[in-house]
Amino acid sequence: MPITALNPGQQKASGIASDGAKPAPKQLAMRYDARAKVTGTAKYAGEFRAPTDAVYAFVVQSTIPSGSIASIDQAAATKSSGVLAVITPFNAPKLPPANPQPPARRHITVLQEREIFYNGQPVAVVVARSLPEAIQAASLLRITYRQTAAKLRFRERLGEARPPKFPGREPAAQTRGDMAAAMSKGTVRVEQTYTTPYQHHNPMEPHATLAWWEGGKLNVYDSTQYIAGDCMTIARTLGIPTDNVHLECPYTGGGFGCKGSTWSHVILAAMAAKVVGKPVKLALERPQMWGPVGGRPTTVQQIKLAATQDGKITGVQHDVIVHTSLMEDFLEPSADQTRMLYASEACATSHKMVDMNLGVATFMRAPGESNGTAALETAMDELALALKMDPVQLRLTNYAEKDPGSDKPWSSKHLRECYEQAGERFGWSKRNPQPASMREGNKLIGWGMATATYPANRSAAQALVRILTNGHAFVGCGSQDLGTGTYTIMAQTAGDTLGIDPRLVEAKLGDSTLPKAPASGGSQSAASICPAISAAAMQAKLKVAQLAINDPESPLHGAIVADISASDGRLFLSSSPGSSDSYADILSRNGGKAVEALGSTEPGEDSTAMSTHSFGAVFAEVAVDAETYMVEVRRIVATYDIGTLINDTTGINQLEGGIVWGVGFALHEESHLDETYGRYVNANLAEYHVPVNADIGKLDVTVLNIPDIKFNPLGARGIGEIGITGTAAAVGNAIFHATGKRIRNFPITLDKLMNA
Ligand code: MOS
């Protein structure tokens, strides 16, 4: 089936010069896991069975935001039907002293303390034969607390903001150039404050863990974005060797960052399994996704932009305040993109945090750049208006030819082409710059745009490739597939390097016994594991080639390795393509055994010498009802510079998913905190609004597909997160263009528009 039939919005760019010469790899037109997903045979953590029947654990959460547990009366709960154990801080097995270390350090509460840091903190686990029995018994626990004053009003505590105790990717505060001079030189200024709300990831599959012990060995099925890190954190927290933990996760039903760390329920499931001596299944209920498993911090962002009359930005200042928990600092680096996105004489950025009685925040799709671009790209729209300059022109006027923050060259940057291509597809040149100038009957029409950007990350990874005697292949890598397409690109990359049809390649991931891969976070999986797979496949291919060279019966006998290529399951001589031999024949004549190789790759030395980022341009059209201010996003046109697009189907789908989330960020998404009691009042999918199909108009997503071969041999940068960046601002800027009303408090709901 042609790929374009699956993705009507997708068309390859043409006529754009390529930085590299590598042809696009042969693609798997259908998702590797499509059949398993649609037929329901794909199993998720909570659906697995242990060797013996599992029992069920239910997490009991604190009902106060701050203080300590005074007592727990568990008599009635313990006697309740089916109950096997009631585990509380008064009787929980003692774990070694907390040793929260990277990779994904999180301070988790696992019944080792009586102190309460937030409302919703796990305070007990009830284990019973069935889930209803566990829930029933949980309701019978009598817990008394000593309550203390809670810090829950973020906006009233901004004065207490302090620098983070731990740095993020980059220093929390940074200044470049002479800010005072630059700000006074710029005669056109924008100085505004933008706010973004608490948000909580809600993948289709909530967190779930199935755990059982075999002596000192722990077996775990867990829904995770990071097999290796999950294993390591479980082992360290429980005080057992990492090798004693076997973890499996063949499918992750979405993650978006919340499954990048190991949270309390995972440890509690293992602890409960130890206590009752049986396999324990622990799945979080939907409302439990708000609090104990992270979320996106709320932000207040102050931006100052100064420019000369010709639109040249002289100075930019971006000061961010986020909330954090009392247990641990998590920094949402919302000003990071402001350091690198536009050229300017001077730039000052800072991040501070306010301690709150809330659960630890964590990575949530494009942590930093999602809400950071929402603020910065709205401010840029305001500057364009003040300058009476076209918003695209303003961005081109301040185009950064190298990274202004690090002063390093880009590994590859084609943002200019993104503006051009998306602008043309959108019809931007027909825009009347005057706000509130386009009307269709009762609808106010607006066109807005913004820049998208996200860093290109890459980590060390390993993979195993095996060429089988039947000419098929196997690729194994301890990565994980969040529904993003990891299986698909694994099979594709191995097949492409081996010259074997990717449909004949079996891919296995999601098992801690496989070669180690990094977290599927920071948009790094494809860029990290594909080079390792490619390297493994290359070595496996060479091993078979060597067998053929040494084999008098082979047409390749005596050939030199450099002359051997592979295609359609055969090795052949480049100098004489008629001379060929199939993998299957070579292997059957030479011992009849599969041949395998391990590939191990890491970022090249170049990675520190260059700045590696992806870019994009997002254009949005909205229709706003002139009376009700109901906003309809009619269409979004976006073009991205993400290096090589490894797979059209899964890649474009990821970008589209990010854009849909960006629309939700702009219009819908917000966790409403009860600032007296400290729980989120809309902790369910009925009241936590996210876009549905009816909220998303036409999406036209294209990529330039220009390989970034300085970043990695495949030229591919990650694409998991960039789609959400820029989108919220593009929608907000379109709403301003439609109505003349600027809402700086996301989400842009109709009450805010009506009262503006
Ligand atoms: Mo992503 S927020 O790095 O899982």
Side-chain angles (χ1 to χ4, degrees):
M1 191 191 299
I3 304 286
T4 44
L6 294 170
N7 292 290
Q10 206 279 330
Q11 281 177 29
K12 289 271 180 63
S14 57
I16 291 170
S18 168
D19 287 348
K22 196 177 187 299
K26 202 176 261 170
Q27 302 201 354
L28 261 183
M30 200 165 86
R31 273 178 195 275
Y32 181 90
D33 46 339
R35 181 180 296 273
K37 292 275 175 76
V38 300
T39 57
T41 56
K43 272 194 182 173
Y44 295 84
E47 298 176 323
F48 281 95
R49 281 171 171 271
T52 56
D53 282 348
V55 295
Y56 294 80
F58 185 75
V59 175
V60 183
Q61 299 170 274
S62 82
T63 52
I64 64 155
S66 177
S68 61
I69 303 170
S71 68
I72 298 183
D73 176 356
Q74 62 178 71
T78 306
K79 273 183 275 168
S80 184
S81 152
V83 170
L84 302 169
V86 177
I87 310 169
T88 73
F90 298 93
N91 65 8
K94 282 283 158 277
L95 299 180
N99 182 19
Q101 294 217 358
R105 66 178 300 282
R106 290 286 86 111
H107 180 115
I108 50 175
T109 46
V110 284
L111 309 181
Q112 302 298 297
E113 66 271 274
R114 294 177 201 176
E115 195 176 353
I116 299 296
F117 300 101
Y118 67 99
N119 194 333
Q121 179 180 325
V123 291
V125 172
V126 177
V127 191
R129 279 182 320 224
S130 71
L131 184 59
E133 285 171 314
I135 293 173
Q136 163 66 16
S139 74
L140 300 174
L141 279 181
R142 293 288 165 261
I143 306 176
T144 57
Y145 298 94
R146 280 185 209 96
Q147 198 163 346
T148 53
K151 299 176 177 187
L152 292 168
R153 295 172 195 269
F154 177 68
R155 299 285 168 85
E156 293 172 15
R157 306 189 91 95
L158 296 177
E160 299 170 14
R162 57 164 177 87
K165 285 173 240 159
F166 305 102
R169 285 191 298 244
E170 293 187 45
Q174 202 168 285
T175 301
R176 160 177 69 75
D178 183 341
M179 275 304 287
M183 294 311 280
S184 65
K185 202 189 282 181
T187 51
V188 181
R189 288 191 201 125
V190 168
E191 200 175 322
Q192 290 294 351
T193 301
Y194 306 87
T195 68
T196 66
Y198 298 103
Q199 296 176 348
H200 288 86
H201 347 49
N202 271 279
M204 293 264 279
E205 178 208 22
H207 299 251
T209 307
L210 169 61
W212 73 97
W213 294 83
E214 285 167 5
K217 299 227 173 200
L218 177 67
N219 298 288
V220 186
Y221 282 102
D222 190 32
S223 185
T224 179
Q225 289 174 237
Y226 190 11
I227 300 272
D230 205 13
C231 256
M232 210 184 309
T233 308
I234 291 169
R236 280 182 184 158
T237 310
L238 296 174
I240 59 175
T242 305
D243 285 348
N244 283 14
V245 182
H246 179 211
L247 197 138
E248 288 178 80
C249 177
Y251 298 97
T252 303
F256 312 112
C258 62
K259 294 173 182 168
S261 312
T262 302
W263 300 104
S264 51
H265 65 276
V266 181
I267 304 301
L268 295 175
M271 185 190 279
K274 189 86 171 184
V275 168
V276 301
K278 292 179 195 305
V280 166
K281 195 173 276 194
L282 199 171
L284 296 190
E285 298 197 309
R286 186 59 69 182
Q288 295 179 319
M289 299 295 286
W290 277 261
V293 287
R296 198 193 298 284
T298 186
T299 72
V300 170
Q301 305 180 49
Q302 199 178 53
I303 295 186
K304 294 180 191 170
L305 284 167
T308 47
Q309 285 295 339
D310 60 359
K312 277 249 186 284
I313 296 173
T314 52
V316 50
Q317 185 167 346
H318 191 167
D319 297 304
V320 178
I321 301 178
V322 305
H323 94 265
T324 192
S325 77
L326 293 170
M327 294 173 279
E328 180 196 330
D329 284 359
F330 173 80
L331 177 63
E332 175 92 5
S334 306
D336 277 8
Q337 80 284 313
T338 304
R339 297 171 180 169
M340 48 62 68
L341 200 47
Y342 300 110
S344 64
E345 288 172 27
C347 174
T349 48
S350 76
H351 300 89
K352 287 185 174 170
M353 41 192 34
V354 174
D355 293 319
M356 302 274 290
N357 280 103
L358 293 172
V360 176
T362 192
F363 330 103
M364 182 158 156
R365 205 172 199 172
E369 287 77 6
S370 53
N371 47 25
T373 55
L376 177 67
E377 289 299 292
T378 306
M380 285 293 284
D381 202 61
E382 302 202 53
L383 181 62
L385 189 82
L387 286 161
K388 297 188 172 56
M389 191 177 216
D390 178 80
V392 176
Q393 192 52 46
L394 174 63
R395 285 156 175 92
L396 291 172
T397 303
N398 297 285
Y399 197 83
E401 300 290 355
K402 60 179 177 177
D403 182 338
S406 65
D407 207 37
K408 291 175 186 171
W410 307 111
S411 56
S412 168
K413 176 180 178 180
H414 297 273
L415 175 56
R416 208 176 259 119
E417 292 96 313
C418 293
Y419 294 129
E420 265 167 39
Q421 182 166 317
E424 196 169 304
R425 294 174 78 91
F426 185 85
W428 185 255
S429 62
K430 297 192 218 56
R431 179 178 183 260
N432 179 341
Q434 187 62 36
S437 62
M438 300 186 353
R439 199 173 173 128
E440 286 173 18
N442 210 28
K443 301 271 190 221
L444 310 171
I445 310 301
W447 289 3
M449 63 79 58
T451 308
T453 189
Y454 191 76
N457 299 310
R458 188 185 163 196
S459 300
Q462 299 182 333
L464 177 86
V465 168
R466 193 178 293 141
I467 302 171
L468 308 176
T469 50
N470 62 358
H472 294 206
F474 167 87
V475 54
C477 177
S479 186
Q480 38 285 315
D481 192 330
L482 284 60
T484 45
T486 314
Y487 278 111
T488 307
I489 61 168
M490 278 174 64
Q492 196 183 296
T493 304
D496 187 52
T497 310
L498 294 171
I500 291 177
D501 186 328
R503 286 171 297 187
L504 304 180
V505 179
E506 182 198 346
K508 184 166 164 61
L509 51 72
D511 189 318
S512 60
T513 58
L514 291 166
K516 270 203 178 67
S520 290
S523 298
Q524 69 172 343
S525 273
S528 303
I529 70 168
C530 289
I533 292 167
S534 206
M538 187 67 77
Q539 289 170 52
K541 180 169 72 177
L542 283 176
K543 284 186 184 177
V544 177
Q546 204 58 55
L547 291 176
I549 289 169
N550 296 338
D551 179 357
E553 286 180 46
S554 173
L556 308 179
H557 180 64
I560 54 165
V561 168
D563 192 24
I564 295 183
S565 299
S567 164
D568 296 324
R570 305 181 74 79
L571 297 179
F572 63 91
L573 298 181
S574 303
S575 60
S576 163
S579 302
S580 77
D581 201 352
S582 75
Y583 282 120
D585 289 345
I586 299 168
L587 292 180
S588 73
R589 289 197 313 269
N590 289 275
K593 275 203 284 232
V595 164
E596 67 178 37
L598 188 71
S600 185
T601 51
E602 53 188 53
E605 284 168 28
D606 277 359
S607 63
T608 48
M610 289 174 311
S611 182
T612 58
H613 290 262
S614 282
F615 297 94
V618 190
F619 292 77
E621 175 177 320
V622 300
V624 183
D625 188 287
E627 279 149 24
T628 67
Y629 286 101
M630 186 118 115
V631 177
E632 177 197 346
V633 177
R634 285 187 167 174
R635 61 192 177 106
I636 290 188
V637 178
T639 300
Y640 296 96
D641 170 26
I642 46 91
T644 305
L645 180 67
I646 297 182
N647 185 279
D648 293 2
T649 306
T650 62
I652 296 297
N653 187 250
Q654 283 238 68
L655 294 167
E656 288 174 343
I659 291 171
V660 168
W661 201 337
V663 172
F665 193 117
L667 302 178
H668 308 126
E669 213 179 333
E670 176 168 18
S671 293
H672 293 276
L673 181 67
D674 178 327
E675 295 193 329
T676 301
Y677 297 103
R679 284 264 184 130
Y680 297 97
V681 297
N682 59 332
N684 60 74
L685 289 184
E687 294 164 295
Y688 186 84
H689 293 166
V690 296
V692 296
N693 265 326
D695 294 309
I696 302 298
K698 194 170 165 288
L699 296 185
D700 174 354
V701 179
T702 53
V703 296
L704 299 178
N705 213 4
I706 303 172
D708 183 354
I709 50 172
K710 289 182 189 158
F711 176 58
N712 74 20
L714 297 151
R717 297 192 296 255
I719 49 178
E721 295 169 89
I722 191 170
I724 190 175
T725 75
T727 304
V731 170
N733 295 340
I735 292 172
F736 173 79
H737 184 240
T739 63
K741 292 173 186 244
R742 183 73 72 181
I743 306 302
R744 300 182 183 89
N745 302 328
F746 287 94
I748 305 171
T749 48
L750 43 91
D751 54 313
K752 293 176 189 169
L753 281 167
M754 208 172 275
N755 293 323

